[in-house]
Amino acid sequence: MTQSTAPQSEHRTVLLRGGDVHSPADPFATAMVVERGHVAWVGSEGAADAFASGVDEVIDLEGALVTPAFTDAHVHTTSTGLALTGLDLSGARTLGDALTRVRAHVAAHPAGGVVLGHGWDATRWPEQRPPSRAELDEAAAGRAVYLPRIDVHSAAVTTALLDLVPGVTAMAGYHPEGPLTGAAHHAVRAAAHDAVPPAQRAEAQRAALRHAASLGIGTVHECGGPDISDEEDFTGLLKLAAEQPGPRVFGYWAQQVADEKDARRIRELGAVGAAGDLFVDGSLGSHTACLREPYADAPHSGTAHLDAGQIAAHVAACTEAGLQAGFHAIGDAALTAVVDGIRAAAEKVGLARVRAARHRVEHAEMLTPETVAAFAELGLTASVQPAFDAAWGGEEGMYAQRLGAGRAATLNPYAALLRAGVPLAFGSDSPVTPLDPWGTVRAAAFHRTLEHRVSVRAGFTAHTRGGWRAVGRDDAGTLVPGAPADYAVWRTDELVVQAPDDRVARWSTDPRSGTPGLPDLSPGADLPVCLRTVVLGQTVYVRPNE
């Protein structure tokens, strides 16, 4: 990809030409003009000649693909950056391997406070169990260590970290030898994160946003809250993102709202909603998702944090204050509580007002036909993570271990949601699963349960325009005149039109269908490589040596 040597300026006019531009305005577009941070024109190569002499910069795409930048609708930015720069246990293949990595990290970092790690998953280990407190104490050589499970709903910790949290042994979710959950986990997480110096925290945030930009991500939805981080972390991230070039950040603060005063506090933090990880339940991996029937591998049905009455009160208060509400809900019992609560709120404040607010539900994994229909009725957005299915779905995956094959096969029914008219917004829940937008679209298109698959086009839309719709914006996430110039440039192979059904795929590859092509995301195919990411007309990433 080559470009003219024009000086950089905030409002320069740029012509991109000689590639493929993914735009519903022209399915065969090869060129695009950007002016004052917005798309000014999209069209053919021949028509581009008329613009060439009147722009500040011409970029020869050399056959590259231009798409809207991705939006990751569920990110924990500081934790993502700490995972990128700290102790990563996601690659550990055995319990012994994980403990060896802890020993090596502690030895390599003899100074400093709490050791922060991430990413272990005992369901992938032959031992099928987490480290005991004694094993972790030995590996850490007396250091305070916080190691959340990959879903971040439980954590293995050392005795030295417990000593920093008075009263933790009396809290719900405390276990003498095993990982902590619930209130005990939240308390030790707060202690661990409080030990991170402000400079380290800011650098972790910068690292996460740089990484996102390198993957063609132009926007992230930060999911913060008092049980996840703290106000300083949240407001610091929003300030940092506003002051430096990089992906824009929309922040959600997961705190219950009872009245206008509470709603005003949410806005003062800079949040766009009282939503995100406002926990109705936990996670399947940690046995804390709230189920109607007990787990297949545990004699209980998880943990409920909010009931339908509390959900109704929050949604009604947010709706009346003109604020978006939302919840974290994974298990079928939790999702039933969500729809019952939001329906009760609609009876109080009016269904039309509830629908207009576009309240959202994070994860929404264990849906039934009834709850899918309720999502459509109530105008809810499903903010979902297809990489969860890629990581834990299938007949031999963690979901099947926790629920049995029958219930596991009902999880993440993306096709049913789309058929019902429920808007989807794709994300990663990073660092739970990595920032990986094309991999996320692939995971949805090649869902481990055949009936839940969606077309690549539908998945791509959910990961671009869907994220904007989830914050109430219908004018972004697509390359049409007037839209914000948030785009990414990709090196990729031939473009195709993929659908989950072979008959549809054969029909839709006919160019007369007027459907813009996308990269081949078939399993095993190389994913596109990001060459450049642009946010509101400003370049925030250029691949080295390109």
Side-chain angles (χ1 to χ4, degrees), residues 143-158:
R143 292 278 293 278
V145 176
Y146 171 68
L147 299 179
R149 189 186 180 278
I150 192 167
D151 57 15
V152 201
H153 283 270
S154 59
V157 301
T158 58

Side-chain angles (χ1 to χ4, degrees), residues 80 84 125 242 260 273 314 324 368 382 431 448 468 474 479 497:
T80 296
L84 288 168
W125 298 342
E260 177 58 40
H314 177 69
Q324 190 179 27
T368 64
R448 290 179 182 272
W468 282 97
D474 294 330
L479 299 179
V497 179

Side-chain angles (χ1 to χ4, degrees), residues 165-193:
V165 187
V168 67
T169 58
M171 293 181 184
Y174 174 78
H175 304 283
E177 277 297 312
L180 308 184
T181 61
H185 173 222
H186 294 159
V188 296
R189 174 164 57 186
H193 286 183

Side-chain angles (χ1 to χ4, degrees), residues 220-226 229-239 249-257 260-278 314 318 321-326 360 470-472:
V220 300
H221 297 181
E222 165 67 13
C223 292
S229 52
D230 57 46
E231 292 185 4
E232 182 181 358
D233 177 88
F234 185 76
T235 57
L237 170 65
L238 297 182
K239 183 173 185 289
V249 178
F250 291 112
Y252 285 94
W253 189 249
Q255 194 158 13
Q256 288 178 259
V257 169
E260 177 58 40
K261 180 181 177 182
D262 290 343
R264 187 165 56 251
R265 178 58 183 155
I266 298 292
R267 292 192 175 97
E268 288 171 352
L269 290 172
V272 296
D277 278 333
L278 183 51
H314 177 69
C318 286
L323 191 66
Q324 190 179 27
R360 52 191 280 175
V471 293

Side-chain angles (χ1 to χ4, degrees), residues 53-73:
S53 61
V55 300
D56 301 311
E57 181 179 8
V58 178
I59 296 178
D60 182 356
L61 295 169
E62 299 179 350
L65 170 67
V66 181
T67 72
F70 286 100
T71 293
D72 192 309

Side-chain angles (χ1 to χ4, degrees), residues 390-406:
W392 303 305
E395 295 181 358
E396 305 299 324
M398 181 270 287
Y399 290 153
Q401 294 177 32
R402 294 288 185 267
L403 302 173

Side-chain angles (χ1 to χ4, degrees), residues 57-107:
E57 181 179 8
V58 178
I59 296 178
D60 182 356
L61 295 169
E62 299 179 350
L65 170 67
V66 181
T67 72
F70 286 100
T71 293
D72 192 309
H74 194 119
V75 175
H76 303 286
T77 307
T78 303
S79 295
T80 296
L82 291 171
L84 288 168
T85 58
L87 172 57
D88 184 2
L89 296 178
S90 61
R93 295 292 173 250
T94 67
L95 171 59
D97 181 14
L99 293 170
T100 296
R101 293 178 187 223
V102 172
R103 290 188 192 95
H105 185 86
V106 168

